[in-house]
Amino acid sequence: MKKLFRHRSSETGGPSTNSTTVTQPVIGHDEKTGLFELSPPRDVDKVDLDIIAVHGLMGHPYKTWQDGNNKSWLEEYLPAKLPNARIFSYGYNSEITFTSSVATINGFARTLLARTKLARTAEEEHGRPILFICHSLGGIVVKKALITAFNYGDRYEDILNSVKGIAFLGVPHQGSSIAKMGKYFADLLKATYGNTNADLLGDLSTGSRVLMDISADAVHRICTLQICTFYETRMYRGELIVDEQSATLNLPDETVIPVDADHRTICKFGSKGDQCDLIGGTIVELAKDIIQSQQTLSLKASKGPEPPIYAPPALKIHAAYWGTKDVKATLMARIQPNQKLEVDTRYDLDTPDPWFNVRKSTSIMYSFGNGSLQLMVTYDAAGCFMIDPAGPERSSHLNPDVRESQSKDIPGKVEILAVVWGGMLNHSEPFSVHVMDKIQTMRKVECTNEFFDGYDGMPTWPKTCHVFWRMKGGQDILCQAGKEGETIFLPDYHM
């Protein structure tokens, strides 16, 4: 039986050995599909990290990462800096122009999971941290793979729990202008030469539902990971293919770095030079952080559980809505004794669907003990989310006056605490002063993109709007919800 991943023969000796696979030398660089081991670890008994590189549109498992002299930083620089890491490259059929393949992002993702699982069958390989390096479409494939791993449950649980970091190189999280042009040319080629993978190019077009679904659903799978984002600053054939806005996830712990390269060359360099120092060096530091964190966790586990130092502060949910449905009571009943709240939005809300076949946002305003207010915003069908006393503070969408505990002489009788439009995708700040002042003055919210100065909180989907407020001087926090196209009137609008 043909193995789903192979070792590449070393230049200094024979192919490496592994207890779970039969070594098969790669035939030159001609093979394009599979999970190829580019560099075996220095000591197979001390492997501390699996690195998996995933190429992009029209890419190649080897050539995508090589400079003009066929030198690859994945094969030279990373092994020298991370000698105990296994370094793989995943190849898949992304050659769109003249292929008759009907493969899609979903298919690429499932195959990546299957090949990765077969590369980690030994007991000592379970739990070993994984770091993905992605270029262009490769980042979308990896995000879809993590969503699929979550949906499959136990089958890919080890992979899902082992992924600790991702380096994105020119990944179009919000679409790519080249995809628009590519779909046009693909349609022409399909008419002239036969089938092309135009559907895949459509999936990548700016604002496509497939791309936005993956971006929304992947948030809870990657928000706790260490993320490095690199974006190009040079044009390719007159186009800035993936600009900063499209390349950036706007996650709290995301590191964003501009690179003096175009979309094609952002991943093509050898083991020397400024680009290797910047991208390669940053990824090496990311890998070392992951390895150190894993070693610290292993050491703590070997010592056994530590006794609790203090009782966690009580979790209080002030207001919570799923679409237009009040789910505060449902969530309060699910708070655990350790004051954690873990909910799967697909199954656990236990209430009739308030808006069938519409992707609804879930907004929860809460606090711990006498602590400050926090706001959790998630997405319908996005999977599990957790509110944890030891977790990150979520205050970025709160009105700055509330976040800074300031008291202002705001006109009217209602204090606006936060406004949520759709899923707040790629919007890590509260709305502008202009929008908030408009709400305070008009005492209403029009549920349209135009009202929010053109911002679309969940492109291609009908949206809900949540407005959290309280009466001045009062303690009770309330929420009003409205569907797209409706108007939310604040309670003192007619006073």
Side-chain angles (χ1 to χ4, degrees):
M1 180 180 71
K2 188 175 182 180
K3 291 291 180 181
L4 291 186
F5 97 92
R6 311 173 189 79
H7 297 276
R8 182 186 171 195
S9 297
S10 169
E11 295 179 2
T12 58
S16 65
T17 60
N18 186 285
S19 61
T20 63
T21 60
V22 177
T23 300
Q24 296 181 358
V26 172
I27 304 172
H29 281 182
D30 294 331
E31 292 194 65
K32 297 180 181 179
T33 60
L35 185 63
F36 305 102
E37 185 170 6
L38 303 181
S39 175
R42 180 178 298 173
D43 187 339
V44 295
D45 295 323
K46 296 182 178 179
V47 181
D48 51 21
L49 180 67
D50 283 343
I51 298 176
I52 303 175
V54 184
H55 65 73
L57 206 63
M58 304 294 290
H60 189 280
Y62 300 109
K63 297 175 184 178
T64 287
W65 314 100
Q66 295 174 344
D67 64 10
N69 297 316
N70 296 325
K71 298 294 185 180
S72 171
W73 59 288
L74 292 184
E75 299 179 67
E76 298 179 7
Y77 179 81
L78 290 188
K81 299 294 185 179
L82 302 166
N84 289 327
R86 293 195 303 175
I87 302 175
F88 298 93
S89 183
Y90 171 60
Y92 58 99
N93 182 19
S94 67
E95 294 186 356
I96 292 167
T97 308
F98 293 102
T99 183
S100 59
S101 171
V102 293
T104 62
I105 294 173
N106 189 42
F108 300 151
R110 290 200 305 267
T111 304
L112 171 60
L113 287 173
R115 294 184 185 276
T116 302
K117 182 178 176 67
L118 286 179
R120 295 163 55 90
T121 55
E123 184 176 352
E124 64 271 14
E125 293 169 335
H126 296 168
R128 179 186 298 157
I130 297 173
L131 169 62
F132 280 108
I133 301 174
C134 319
H135 175 238
S136 191
L137 171 65
I140 309 301
V141 171
V142 167
K143 290 198 298 183
K144 183 61 178 178
L146 296 181
I147 296 168
T148 303
F150 174 80
N151 292 335
Y152 268 85
D154 293 345
R155 184 173 182 179
Y156 295 119
E157 183 178 15
D158 172 65
I159 295 175
L160 184 65
N161 293 337
S162 297
V163 176
K164 303 301 181 183
I166 307 177
F168 292 112
L169 282 70
V171 174
H173 299 294
Q174 300 182 60
S176 169
S177 56
I178 193 66
K180 290 182 177 180
M181 296 186 296
K183 183 169 176 58
Y184 169 75
F185 287 118
D187 290 341
L188 291 179
L189 289 167
K190 182 176 181 179
T192 306
Y193 298 104
N195 291 332
T196 64
N197 204 341
D199 288 343
L200 175 57
L201 284 164
D203 289 350
L204 282 176
S205 62
T206 302
S208 79
R209 176 161 291 192
V210 170
L211 193 61
M212 295 311 301
D213 283 355
I214 293 175
S215 294
D217 292 350
V219 168
H220 294 300
R221 308 284 75 82
I222 65 177
C223 64
T224 59
L225 305 182
Q226 297 189 56
I227 303 293
C228 283
T229 293
F230 302 91
Y231 67 91
E232 67 245 31
T233 57
R234 289 192 178 188
M235 293 187 177
Y236 178 71
R237 296 183 179 179
E239 289 280 350
L240 189 60
I241 307 303
V242 181
D243 59 18
E244 179 181 2
Q245 181 181 1
S246 181
T248 304
L249 287 159
N250 291 306
L251 294 174
D253 296 325
E254 179 184 13
T255 299
V256 180
I257 301 175
V259 179
D260 185 23
D262 60 35
H263 189 66
R264 181 174 176 272
T265 60
I266 193 171
C267 57
K268 288 182 171 292
F269 50 91
S271 58
K272 298 179 180 179
D274 291 342
Q275 196 164 333
C276 183
D277 292 341
L278 178 61
I279 298 178
T282 301
I283 291 176
V284 166
E285 290 305 309
L286 172 61
K288 289 180 177 179
D289 286 345
I290 292 172
I291 294 170
Q292 181 61 48
S293 296
Q294 186 70 15
Q295 291 173 345
T296 301
L297 289 174
S298 299
L299 181 61
K300 288 183 178 180
S302 66
K303 294 181 178 180
E306 297 181 358
I309 299 175
Y310 66 96
L315 169 59
K316 180 178 181 180
I317 297 177
H318 299 277
Y321 266 75
W322 175 42
T324 55
K325 192 77 173 181
D326 186 343
V327 293
K328 175 181 175 180
T330 300
L331 297 182
M332 288 289 290
R334 297 188 62 85
I335 297 176
Q336 302 170 19
N338 59 6
Q339 300 306 302
K340 292 182 180 180
L341 172 64
E342 185 171 356
V343 175
D344 190 326
T345 56
R346 299 170 302 172
Y347 312 116
D348 296 340
L349 292 178
D350 192 27
T351 184
D353 192 334
W355 204 3
F356 181 70
N357 204 29
V358 171
R359 173 139 304 169
K360 299 164 285 292
S361 52
T362 302
S363 304
I364 306 166
M365 184 161 287
Y366 64 96
S367 61
F368 287 102
N370 296 321
S372 58
L373 291 176
Q374 301 189 53
L375 178 62
M376 172 80 181
V377 180
T378 185
Y379 319 97
D380 184 34
C384 282
F385 69 86
M386 177 178 287
I387 294 176
D388 186 342
E393 182 177 345
R394 297 184 176 100
S395 60
S396 60
H397 292 126
L398 292 176
N399 186 333
D401 299 324
V402 176
R403 190 166 56 191
E404 297 167 11
S405 300
Q406 294 179 353
S407 178
K408 291 178 62 178
D409 186 17
I410 302 171
K413 299 181 180 180
V414 170
E415 181 184 12
I416 305 298
L417 304 178
V419 179
V420 176
W421 176 230
M424 298 297 287
L425 291 179
N426 301 298
H427 199 294
S428 58
E429 297 291 328
F431 283 109
S432 67
V433 174
H434 172 257
V435 171
M436 298 304 291
D437 285 350
K438 183 165 53 174
I439 296 172
Q440 287 287 170
T441 302
M442 298 173 64
R443 302 290 196 275
K444 66 179 181 178
V445 177
E446 296 174 0
C447 302
T448 65
N449 293 337
E450 290 73 21
F451 186 85
F452 293 103
D453 292 344
Y455 169 68
D456 191 342
M458 191 168 287
T460 76
W461 285 96
K463 288 166 283 297
T464 46
C465 180
H466 296 150
V467 182
F468 292 87
W469 57 273
R470 64 186 169 197
M471 300 302 292
K472 282 186 179 178
Q475 297 298 318
D476 293 337
I477 295 174
L478 302 173
C479 178
Q480 288 179 250
K483 301 177 184 178
E484 186 165 9
E486 296 180 344
T487 298
I488 299 173
F489 292 95
L490 299 181
D492 65 337
Y493 179 71
H494 296 293
M495 294 181 183

